[in-house]
Amino acid sequence: MFIVKSPVEQTIELENNILVIKVHSPEISSEIKPGQFLNVRVSETYSPLLRRPFSVCDVEGDFIFLMFNVLGEGTKILAQKRKGETIDLLGPLGHGFNLDDDYQTAVIVAGGLGAAPFPYFVKKIPNDKRIISFVGGKTNNEVITYGLKNILISTDDGSLGFKGTVIDLLNENLEILNKGKIKIFSCGPNAMLKAIKEFSIKNNFECEVSIESAMACGFGICQGCPVESTSNKEKYSLVCKDGPVFNVRDIVL
Amino acid sequence: MFIVKSPVEQTIELENNILVIKVHSPEISSEIKPGQFLNVRVSETYSPLLRRPFSVCDVEGDFIFLMFNVLGEGTKILAQKRKGETIDLLGPLGHGFNLDDDYQTAVIVAGGLGAAPFPYFVKKIPNDKRIISFVGGKTNNEVITYGLKNILISTDDGSLGFKGTVIDLLNENLEILNKGKIKIFSCGPNAMLKAIKEFSIKNNFECEVSIESAMACGFGICQGCPVESTSNKEKYSLVCKDGPVFNVRDIVL
Amino acid sequence: MSKIDLSVTIGSLKLRNPVLLASGTVGYGNEMSEFIDLNKIGGIVTKSLSLKPRKGNPPQRIVETPAGMLNAIGLANVGVEVFLIEKIPFLKNYDVPLICNIAASSIEEYVECTKILTCEDTIKAFEINVSCPNVKEGGLQFGNDIHAVGKITEKVKACTNKPVIIKLSPNVSYISEFAKVVKEEGGDAVSAINTLVGTSFNIFTKRPKLHNVTGGLSGPAIKPVALAKVLEIKRLVDIPIIGIGGIMNWKDVVEFMIAGSSAIQIGTANFINPNSADEIIKDLENYCTSYSIEKISELTGSYKI
Amino acid sequence: MSKIDLSVTIGSLKLRNPVLLASGTVGYGNEMSEFIDLNKIGGIVTKSLSLKPRKGNPPQRIVETPAGMLNAIGLANVGVEVFLIEKIPFLKNYDVPLICNIAASSIEEYVECTKILTCEDTIKAFEINVSCPNVKEGGLQFGNDIHAVGKITEKVKACTNKPVIIKLSPNVSYISEFAKVVKEEGGDAVSAINTLVGTSFNIFTKRPKLHNVTGGLSGPAIKPVALAKVLEIKRLVDIPIIGIGGIMNWKDVVEFMIAGSSAIQIGTANFINPNSADEIIKDLENYCTSYSIEKISELTGSYKI
Ligand SMILES: Cc1cc2nc3c(=O)[nH]c(=O)nc-3n(C[C@H](O)[C@H](O)[C@H](O)COP(=O)(O)OP(=O)(O)OC[C@H]3O[C@@H](n4cnc5c(N)ncnc54)[C@H](O)[C@@H]3O)c2cc1C
Ligand SMILES: Cc1cc2nc3c(=O)[nH]c(=O)nc-3n(C[C@H](O)[C@H](O)[C@H](O)COP(=O)(O)OP(=O)(O)OC[C@H]3O[C@@H](n4cnc5c(N)ncnc54)[C@H](O)[C@@H]3O)c2cc1C
Ligand SMILES: Cc1cc2nc3c(=O)[nH]c(=O)nc-3n(C[C@H](O)[C@H](O)[C@H](O)COP(=O)(O)O)c2cc1C
Ligand SMILES: Cc1cc2nc3c(=O)[nH]c(=O)nc-3n(C[C@H](O)[C@H](O)[C@H](O)COP(=O)(O)O)c2cc1C
Ligand code: FES
Ligand code: FES
């Protein structure tokens, strides 16, 4: 784990107000794994005071990429960073996705900005695995397909792709999913993750999800990011340290 | 008085880490007088929370100029403003210098950044008055002569001009000062202003000084900027509203 | 779009909207009127007035702190007489409820000030400052003395028919106990909070930055504390609350109302943007429209716990 | 350049420098050791330990506020037994004074925890948390009850020879009265301050952002309040003080020492820069060199008022 002030190389604007920031950080790029995250200090002032967690979106050589949209003060400042300015990164943090288990097809299920960790995931997945990506959004401008492969799209209002939730779309494609051994990798809004959990259990699919939580430290000392564990009722798991990627069966969503 | 978000046009770097920021602000440029000031909000965040007071340094058409050096958080942010970014100005505030009374020679006495209000002063002084400028600093890199006229320089260490304080330099030049009616206009560190007061009283010179104070509002509602008045012991004067320019005989320095 | 009702009541005091300007951050209105249309705001609370004029503390009176500021003005004010003669005439030009804030160093002085001021029609209510942390005359710190607060409420109520609001100190263990006493003694409302006691040192001179040594902390830094105090009172005492502390925008106002405030006051924000109150009122109206809130007073104490 | 003496003493506890890591912001040291050389810092204060493991509060436990944060962790901890078995071995690898922080919901529980822990050599002192605002088990809020604080001090002192530091609550009218009782009952030092009670609401759901409704405010926002509390104790009670609250850099440390602290603790800053303490120690050494301060302990209470 490192704390490094890394220079911004470029900020790329995708459609729909989504930004991807490219940062030079050899220390982190050489260590980080898909699904891990960084805790980013966007300003040296006390406004905002705390770091902001972002999943690693992609890695290219010594560069790492983070994907975000402008929500509040932190992301606003991040969006204004120009080439040469630095951001202060702490990471790599947490446990990423387990790409190497026994499955043939990785089924990516991403809702909105939940697409963030998958470009790097797609790069790092072993060559012998297939990928199929289900991408959902409320309307077409919430659909993010950056860096994904073999994409099926759903929107609640039908403005792009299949009309319905991404779960509906999965159900529509159950036949494909039932060919060979699959594993679901999902990230997105909590409501979606809940539905994914139900779907996975019902269909007996392996499933890992990346979840979010309010965080202060990001590395296990503040106890600020509890998530109820299914195996141990006496103790919360910590999203930052035990996650952010969990076997969906291990946590209460 | 206005509250206006004004776009930055340019930031000029003088010698010695002194910066001059040029801002497009027709509302303020058309009203402000030499010695008046603006209370500047450098950031929309709460860091820093309060505005920062700056004297108007110069005016050119619709543009105003502020002179400063990087001291703390506020001036650091100000120094990083680029063309097109805005700063939030509140002003014009306070009472400026009285240029129109009965004197023939304006004797400017400026210490360090106390030079800030004088470029505009020099422009606005009636044509029939003469100007002579005494500029002091501890060493040569504290001497700021930007926008001044007929300049005599002193440094404590003699690294530039006369060796001694600016008061010593005034005393050296008493003969010139005693020719015709003069009025001293001074701005600088408090120790210098104290000495100027003594000098003016001793030599029976008219003298106005621009003084500083911690400020919150800048326009008379917080009562945060008191200065002891010589005429009314029951009540403080307010630097922001009754000043920042005072007849040196009216206040206790 | 139907008209939104922004009006609120604090006891018998009816205000056209819940946004007041806090004592000590608006002077007596004249300087502020250059920036804001006083006719639009819910009300003005004057700088604390004492029987005699007060010079206040020597400089330095103000220090900036992270997301906040310390002040130790020391209740510099013109005194009730000069206020009536010199300041009221200006305020008569406006149609804005005037709440007169009184500070004193004895119970008798509170009573006397109230008696003098109560005859003035322009004054619609009194806010009694029992909580200024920056003057310790006579060794009394009323704000921390529950019996004194009760006594002051009782005596002031006895000499005016106008609503009496007691402005409470946050520098106590249980603010709700003070609110309870205020209610018992007939007070009409409480204002919460005044500033938190704080200090700051110049590390090179080793001297306190404030001449008064300690000062009162205000601004966004104290908002979470102020909200907790408002909530504590709301949950335990049935009395109208005017919420104060770190309010910078309409969201903060809504948060204070949810926590239990009937109205709120803007303090430090006036120094940064003297037009804040006007902008906030417009934003509140838009918010009510967007969320189909017909009467803003519905928000008061609407927390779901 | 002569060697600067950064060492300080708190009662009989000698520390190589005044920079400790605060309870609840360093865990049990293992995660922090990835970022900072624990052998360099003045001491570690453990997360509050209770007799039995505690699960802590459900989420949300943390909210950011202007220049601060609210936490309502609810004293999630492994309990004294697991601490001794699983956490102490790691800490034995380091040469850093370990201060064990204890939280309990009865006087008996404080005593029992102390008795169990006092046998462990690695533990150099106890810090008794009587002031956590986020658990209200048994309806007790020791931090606000001066008799309880006295009793706890007395009883804990009776069962250990190690220094006992009482961590005081700032949510009281006069913190110095609590410090006085601690001294009278034989306590060796006080830590000031724990967090300020605060809250925050989601204005759209109208629910408190924290599951526990209220939480503890920490970070730079509270620094002026913490300094005023330290100063109040220093002026009125002769007991060593460990200053805590919003310390982010060496200047803040010097300010706390001038105000009366013998040592200080870094809390929230650890989340933002887990290497802060190390940087601060280096900066303090440079500061002492520049200003010809031979012993940093000279700074304690060196204010000029
Ligand atoms: C492990 C992890 C990985 C993440 N990865 C990404 C990523 O790759 N890209 C990305 O854009 N975001 C990601 N997030 C969320 C991101 O941290 C927040 O969006 C960010 O902190 C917002 O900061 P802000 O200052 O702009 O907004 P704030 O001012 O902090 O908040 C603005 C609004 O967003 C809400 N909000 C704040 N934090 C969160 C959160 N964690 N989840 C949901 N809503 C929140 C607030 O309640 C508020 O309404 C991740 C979060 C975690 C915990
Ligand atoms: C009426 C008036 C006019 C002014 N005009 C100018 C001007 O034209 N150019 C200019 O550069 N400055 C001017 N100043 C001073 C200027 O306001 C401060 O330098 C500025 O606020 C510093 O802000 P900061 O955030 O960078 O520093 P801060 O972080 O606020 O302070 C950094 C350091 O500077 C000290 N400091 C802060 N404010 C002042 C002050 N008012 N006087 C002296 N020291 C201070 C602090 O104690 C601290 O040590 C003026 C002040 C007043 C009251
Ligand atoms: C400079 C200043 C002066 C103040 N003077 C008074 C006063 O005279 N009487 C009073 O009751 N409160 C006074 N206050 C307290 C405010 O009315 C308010 O309670 C406090 O500032 C918290 O609100 P804020 O955080 O919005 O500023 C003063 C506050 C400031 C900042
Ligand atoms: C997330 C968090 C958890 C804390 N847990 C404890 C605790 O278990 N016991 C305790 O005595 N103090 C606890 N504290 C209080 C800190 O030790 C410290 O007193 C407080 O945060 C003020 O210091 P700071 O502003 O530097 O953070 C906690 C603080 C935070 C922010
Ligand atoms: S964010 Fe601090 S423990 Fe997880
Ligand atoms: S700065 Fe507020 S009254 Fe002068």
Side-chain angles (χ1 to χ4, degrees), chain C residues 68-84:
Chain C
M69 63 178 279
L70 289 166
N71 87 78
I73 308 299
L75 297 180
N77 81 92
V78 297
V80 289
E81 300 290 352
V82 175
F83 172 73
L84 286 175

mmCIF file of all heavy atoms in Angstrom, chain C residues 68-84:
data_model
loop_
_atom_site.group_PDB
_atom_site.id
_atom_site.type_symbol
_atom_site.label_atom_id
_atom_site.label_comp_id
_atom_site.label_asym_id
_atom_site.label_seq_id
_atom_site.Cartn_x
_atom_site.Cartn_y
_atom_site.Cartn_z
ATOM 1 N N GLY C 68 -14.876 27.833 10.106
ATOM 2 C CA GLY C 68 -15.538 28.604 11.153
ATOM 3 C C GLY C 68 -14.762 29.857 11.495
ATOM 4 O O GLY C 68 -13.781 30.209 10.837
ATOM 5 N N MET C 69 -15.242 30.560 12.511
ATOM 6 C CA MET C 69 -14.518 31.726 12.992
ATOM 7 C C MET C 69 -14.785 31.882 14.482
ATOM 8 O O MET C 69 -15.831 31.475 14.992
ATOM 9 C CB MET C 69 -14.968 32.990 12.246
ATOM 10 C CG MET C 69 -16.418 33.367 12.443
ATOM 11 S SD MET C 69 -16.881 34.904 11.591
ATOM 12 C CE MET C 69 -16.285 36.130 12.757
ATOM 13 N N LEU C 70 -13.807 32.462 15.151
ATOM 14 C CA LEU C 70 -13.976 32.834 16.549
ATOM 15 C C LEU C 70 -14.197 34.329 16.605
ATOM 16 O O LEU C 70 -13.524 35.084 15.901
ATOM 17 C CB LEU C 70 -12.708 32.508 17.340
ATOM 18 C CG LEU C 70 -12.386 31.040 17.598
ATOM 19 C CD1 LEU C 70 -10.957 30.903 18.081
ATOM 20 C CD2 LEU C 70 -13.371 30.458 18.608
ATOM 21 N N ASN C 71 -15.138 34.766 17.456
ATOM 22 C CA ASN C 71 -15.257 36.192 17.681
ATOM 23 C C ASN C 71 -15.293 36.475 19.160
ATOM 24 O O ASN C 71 -15.803 35.678 19.943
ATOM 25 C CB ASN C 71 -16.492 36.771 16.980
ATOM 26 C CG ASN C 71 -17.746 36.688 17.826
ATOM 27 O OD1 ASN C 71 -17.950 37.489 18.741
ATOM 28 N ND2 ASN C 71 -18.575 35.691 17.549
ATOM 29 N N ALA C 72 -14.695 37.595 19.516
ATOM 30 C CA ALA C 72 -14.786 38.082 20.888
ATOM 31 C C ALA C 72 -14.995 39.585 20.789
ATOM 32 O O ALA C 72 -14.115 40.380 21.092
ATOM 33 C CB ALA C 72 -13.530 37.745 21.677
ATOM 34 N N ILE C 73 -16.180 39.929 20.297
ATOM 35 C CA ILE C 73 -16.514 41.345 20.101
ATOM 36 C C ILE C 73 -16.710 42.011 21.460
ATOM 37 O O ILE C 73 -16.383 43.174 21.642
ATOM 38 C CB ILE C 73 -17.810 41.487 19.253
ATOM 39 C CG1 ILE C 73 -17.725 40.681 17.952
ATOM 40 C CG2 ILE C 73 -18.126 42.942 18.984
ATOM 41 C CD1 ILE C 73 -16.636 41.070 17.005
ATOM 42 N N GLY C 74 -17.249 41.251 22.386
ATOM 43 C CA GLY C 74 -17.479 41.819 23.712
ATOM 44 C C GLY C 74 -18.707 42.703 23.757
ATOM 45 O O GLY C 74 -18.760 43.680 24.497
ATOM 46 N N LEU C 75 -19.685 42.342 22.944
ATOM 47 C CA LEU C 75 -20.978 43.027 22.969
ATOM 48 C C LEU C 75 -20.891 44.532 22.748
ATOM 49 O O LEU C 75 -21.665 45.309 23.323
ATOM 50 C CB LEU C 75 -21.705 42.750 24.289
ATOM 51 C CG LEU C 75 -22.074 41.282 24.546
ATOM 52 C CD1 LEU C 75 -22.782 41.146 25.883
ATOM 53 C CD2 LEU C 75 -22.979 40.750 23.431
ATOM 54 N N ALA C 76 -19.946 44.962 21.926
ATOM 55 C CA ALA C 76 -19.908 46.372 21.546
ATOM 56 C C ALA C 76 -21.288 46.771 21.031
ATOM 57 O O ALA C 76 -21.806 46.143 20.116
ATOM 58 C CB ALA C 76 -18.868 46.574 20.437
ATOM 59 N N ASN C 77 -21.896 47.768 21.632
ATOM 60 C CA ASN C 77 -23.205 48.212 21.142
ATOM 61 C C ASN C 77 -23.508 49.612 21.624
ATOM 62 O O ASN C 77 -22.858 50.129 22.543
ATOM 63 C CB ASN C 77 -24.315 47.236 21.533
ATOM 64 C CG ASN C 77 -24.808 47.423 22.946
ATOM 65 O OD1 ASN C 77 -25.753 48.142 23.212
ATOM 66 N ND2 ASN C 77 -24.110 46.772 23.894
ATOM 67 N N VAL C 78 -24.495 50.223 20.986
ATOM 68 C CA VAL C 78 -24.778 51.640 21.231
ATOM 69 C C VAL C 78 -25.600 51.896 22.492
ATOM 70 O O VAL C 78 -25.746 53.037 22.918
ATOM 71 C CB VAL C 78 -25.509 52.270 20.022
ATOM 72 C CG1 VAL C 78 -24.618 52.216 18.770
ATOM 73 C CG2 VAL C 78 -26.851 51.567 19.759
ATOM 74 N N GLY C 79 -26.137 50.824 23.083
ATOM 75 C CA GLY C 79 -26.993 51.016 24.254
ATOM 76 C C GLY C 79 -28.429 51.286 23.853
ATOM 77 O O GLY C 79 -28.709 51.741 22.742
ATOM 78 N N VAL C 80 -29.362 50.995 24.737
ATOM 79 C CA VAL C 80 -30.779 51.071 24.367
ATOM 80 C C VAL C 80 -31.235 52.470 23.970
ATOM 81 O O VAL C 80 -32.012 52.640 23.035
ATOM 82 C CB VAL C 80 -31.715 50.528 25.483
ATOM 83 C CG1 VAL C 80 -31.599 49.025 25.603
ATOM 84 C CG2 VAL C 80 -31.431 51.185 26.822
ATOM 85 N N GLU C 81 -30.730 53.501 24.654
ATOM 86 C CA GLU C 81 -31.191 54.866 24.366
ATOM 87 C C GLU C 81 -30.842 55.273 22.949
ATOM 88 O O GLU C 81 -31.690 55.688 22.163
ATOM 89 C CB GLU C 81 -30.541 55.864 25.339
ATOM 90 C CG GLU C 81 -30.826 55.629 26.804
ATOM 91 C CD GLU C 81 -32.280 55.933 27.182
ATOM 92 O OE1 GLU C 81 -33.020 56.478 26.329
ATOM 93 O OE2 GLU C 81 -32.668 55.586 28.318
ATOM 94 N N VAL C 82 -29.561 55.162 22.636
ATOM 95 C CA VAL C 82 -29.103 55.550 21.303
ATOM 96 C C VAL C 82 -29.802 54.683 20.250
ATOM 97 O O VAL C 82 -30.171 55.151 19.174
ATOM 98 C CB VAL C 82 -27.572 55.422 21.181
ATOM 99 C CG1 VAL C 82 -27.114 55.712 19.763
ATOM 100 C CG2 VAL C 82 -26.887 56.348 22.179
ATOM 101 N N PHE C 83 -30.005 53.413 20.576
ATOM 102 C CA PHE C 83 -30.700 52.528 19.650
ATOM 103 C C PHE C 83 -32.066 53.099 19.301
ATOM 104 O O PHE C 83 -32.426 53.215 18.123
ATOM 105 C CB PHE C 83 -30.846 51.129 20.259
ATOM 106 C CG PHE C 83 -31.707 50.207 19.457
ATOM 107 C CD1 PHE C 83 -31.246 49.670 18.265
ATOM 108 C CD2 PHE C 83 -32.991 49.876 19.878
ATOM 109 C CE1 PHE C 83 -32.052 48.821 17.508
ATOM 110 C CE2 PHE C 83 -33.798 49.036 19.139
ATOM 111 C CZ PHE C 83 -33.336 48.506 17.944
ATOM 112 N N LEU C 84 -32.819 53.486 20.328
ATOM 113 C CA LEU C 84 -34.171 54.002 20.084
ATOM 114 C C LEU C 84 -34.136 55.290 19.274
ATOM 115 O O LEU C 84 -34.944 55.491 18.369
ATOM 116 C CB LEU C 84 -34.884 54.244 21.417
ATOM 117 C CG LEU C 84 -35.342 52.977 22.150
ATOM 118 C CD1 LEU C 84 -35.922 53.324 23.513
ATOM 119 C CD2 LEU C 84 -36.377 52.214 21.315
#
